Amino acid sequence: MFNNTTINRFQDLDTPFYYYDMEVLRQTLDACREASAKHGFHVHYAMKANFNPRVLDMIQSFGFGADCVSGNEVRAAIEHGFGKDKVVFAGVGKSDKEINFALDADIFCFNVESVQELEIINELAGAKGKKANVAIRINPNVDAHTHHFITTGLDENKFGINIWQLPDVATALRKCENLKFLGIHFHIGSQITDLEVYKSLCTRINEMQDWFEDHGFPVKVLNTGGGLGVDYYSPNGNIADFESYFQVFKSFLNVKPGQEVHFELGRALVAQSASLISRVLYVKNGKKKNFLILDAGMTELIRPMLYQAYHLIENLSRRAEVRGLRSEAEKQASDLTPHTTELKYDVVGPICESTDCFQKDVDLPESFRGDLIAVRTAGAYGEVMASGYNLRDHVQSVYSEGVA
Ligand SMILES: Cc1ncc(COP(=O)(O)O)c(C=O)c1O
């Protein structure tokens, strides 16, 4: 992701910014498209992961659909050319305004998360003389074996409709004449790295589709959600294993003739394509701790503070190549100089909160004011969660192919 030319280019730019490696993004999308097309699977990109306009344009150009969780995401998807017949709208709290907007946009499907929501969509669709396609988001009570802050498919989570409420769903669907039942939807959590979890999900989906068919509701769409994880520890050239992921569903999902299988991947498509680039403002060497104080903090990337998430942190300015050391002998010799002394730092941001810390006790080469620091694997749930807290400037974006 970073060669010398790229790092030299960064020297002239104001920090902090997100750096998007569009080639990494392209390769990731290519790998996903190839692996899913093999089985005839449909992928909707979960836009919440990153709605940077350049990123959206590239994802759309690969023919993926869009999975949206707000009216504005539905609008952005359509504005960026995602076909409305490939836009799905999930979310546990859709407002009437958002539902009306999506009805007017004639989107493919609402993923409905409560019986009450079914009734409201029915009412709003009726007022417009329309019929809305719906899929029922079921909370399958399957443990995603990921961090509890990003687990969504357990009984204690707010998402989806619990299995014991399905008789009420059936009653509502029979009553609601402005709804067309398309299928069932699941999403059990994010950053899932244990593919066994998806086998358990398949078993539950198979049971659930039988339940609906037995109650007189033919299931056309099986939407398995997203959640495929990425490797935050070794980001270089490490694209998610889409082959194995889709193969699990091919092997364990009971797909009947005429059914479509849908996926809603977010993180796995975009995470490795971006890094947050920042500069060291100050170095504070305390008695107990060394602090590297960056010009980026939780206002630019909140995942470590919000989810205790790990991101690899690199000092780009202290790389041997960046310091002009080319031969192995030079690099070896440089290891003896003070510049390559390894120290432990708490890497923190400038925000007035003690939680504004990217990571504690990071081993880094001795670092200095002005050094460029990369926080890797920041393409998912990074820029989109940036905030203006402390009245900070909005974080900028820089692309490997030209500057925005
Ligand atoms: C309903 C739904 N689908 C898909 C996703 C995408 O998840 P991921 O980015 O982990 O693939 C999310 C993320 O929270 C979600 O809530």
Side-chain angles (χ1 to χ4, degrees):
M1 177 174 264
F2 305 114
N3 55 29
N4 261 11
T5 317
T6 312
I7 296 171
N8 281 335
R9 181 178 160 211
F10 292 170
Q11 311 285 3
D12 301 328
L13 299 174
D14 275 346
T15 46
F17 58 85
Y18 275 90
Y19 174 69
Y20 286 93
D21 188 323
M22 301 307 274
E23 187 48 35
V24 171
L25 180 60
R26 202 188 318 278
Q27 285 170 11
T28 310
L29 297 172
D30 218 21
C32 180
R33 185 169 60 184
E34 207 184 307
S36 56
K38 212 184 271 178
H39 309 299
F41 291 161
H42 301 250
V43 175
H44 295 110
Y45 167 57
M47 230 170 116
K48 65 178 77 64
N50 191 321
F51 40 73
N52 175 298
R54 295 265 302 255
V55 170
L56 284 187
D57 285 342
M58 187 178 282
I59 295 176
Q60 184 276 332
S61 76
F62 273 73
F64 296 118
D67 162 43
C68 307
V69 287
S70 72
N72 287 342
E73 282 194 6
V74 172
R75 186 195 314 276
I78 292 167
E79 281 173 4
H80 282 270
F82 289 90
K84 58 187 184 178
D85 56 334
K86 288 187 186 171
V87 172
V88 297
F89 184 12
V92 71
K94 304 176 188 76
S95 70
D96 293 18
K97 187 175 162 196
E98 290 175 313
I99 294 169
N100 276 322
F101 179 78
L103 285 168
D104 289 339
D106 292 322
I107 63 163
F108 173 64
C109 190
F110 290 83
N111 293 334
V112 179
E113 308 220 10
S114 66
V115 175
Q116 195 171 25
E117 187 192 327
L118 270 180
E119 291 164 354
I120 297 298
I121 297 176
N122 180 58
E123 196 182 304
L124 297 174
K128 291 179 183 294
K130 293 195 169 201
K131 233 177 162 68
N133 287 339
V134 294
I136 303 301
R137 176 168 179 181
I138 299 171
N139 180 331
N141 198 27
V142 169
D143 191 344
H145 295 294
T146 184
H147 195 287
H148 63 282
F149 289 173
I150 49 175
T151 293
T152 56
L154 291 176
D155 283 348
E156 70 234 39
N157 298 127
K158 69 178 176 182
F159 301 100
I161 298 179
N162 296 117
I163 291 168
W164 67 84
Q165 291 172 304
L166 292 185
D168 294 342
V169 169
T171 307
L173 283 174
R174 283 195 194 97
K175 244 184 14 206
C176 292
E177 27 182 58
N178 308 313
L179 302 182
K180 180 165 190 280
F181 172 78
L182 274 197
I184 49 181
H185 170 240
F186 301 80
H187 175 71
I188 56 173
S190 205
Q191 186 50 19
I192 296 171
T193 49
D194 173 6
L195 291 183
E196 289 293 315
V197 164
Y198 286 115
K199 291 186 191 168
S200 312
L201 176 63
C202 287
T203 306
R204 196 51 63 88
I205 296 176
N206 293 339
E207 288 164 13
M208 291 297 102
Q209 65 159 322
D210 287 348
W211 190 94
F212 274 90
E213 303 251 341
D214 290 349
H215 287 77
F217 298 99
V219 176
K220 178 160 183 262
V221 172
L222 301 173
N223 185 334
T224 71
L228 178 62
V230 299
D231 189 342
Y232 281 90
Y233 290 84
S234 315
N236 289 332
N238 208 343
I239 288 174
D241 184 0
F242 296 109
E243 284 285 339
S244 307
Y245 169 70
F246 289 121
Q247 190 55 50
V248 171
F249 292 92
K250 177 71 189 166
S251 306
F252 294 93
L253 206 55
N254 182 10
V255 183
K256 300 181 180 148
Q259 278 184 335
E260 292 176 6
V261 186
H262 292 210
F263 295 83
E264 298 173 343
L265 292 172
R267 183 190 312 273
L269 294 182
V270 291
Q272 299 294 21
S273 65
S275 295
L276 175 64
I277 308 297
S278 170
R279 276 194 174 86
V280 176
L281 286 176
Y282 302 105
V283 184
K284 273 185 28 174
N285 293 331
K287 268 198 175 149
K288 291 195 171 162
K289 289 274 182 187
N290 299 318
F291 292 101
L292 275 194
I293 301 170
L294 306 187
D295 62 6
M298 61 194 283
T299 41
E300 285 69 40
L301 177 65
I302 199 173
R303 296 190 68 256
M305 304 79 182
L306 190 62
Y307 309 128
Q308 301 161 345
Y310 173 85
H311 287 262
L312 184 74
I313 298 175
E314 283 182 281
N315 184 330
L316 300 181
S317 305
R318 300 291 139 200
R319 283 182 168 187
E321 317 82 78
V322 173
R323 291 174 14 241
L325 307 174
R326 302 218 175 272
S327 73
E328 260 324 295
E330 272 182 306
K331 287 182 192 169
Q332 297 274 330
S334 82
D335 284 338
L336 302 172
T337 69
H339 272 192
T340 49
T341 307
E342 287 257 318
L343 290 178
K344 276 199 193 305
Y345 294 99
D346 280 13
V347 180
V348 303
I351 307 304
C352 301
E353 298 287 343
S354 296
T355 51
D356 186 33
C357 173
F358 286 109
Q359 208 183 308
K360 290 183 191 296
D361 294 325
V362 188
D363 288 316
L364 285 172
E366 187 177 12
S367 302
F368 299 88
R369 176 174 164 82
D371 282 359
L372 284 164
I373 302 291
V375 184
R376 304 291 307 274
T377 318
Y381 307 103
E383 188 185 353
V384 282
M385 286 197 189
S387 79
Y389 183 44
N390 286 191
L391 214 53
R392 301 258 300 163
D393 289 336
H394 191 77
V395 62
Q396 299 297 301
S397 307
V398 170
Y399 307 88
S400 55
E401 296 164 1
V403 184

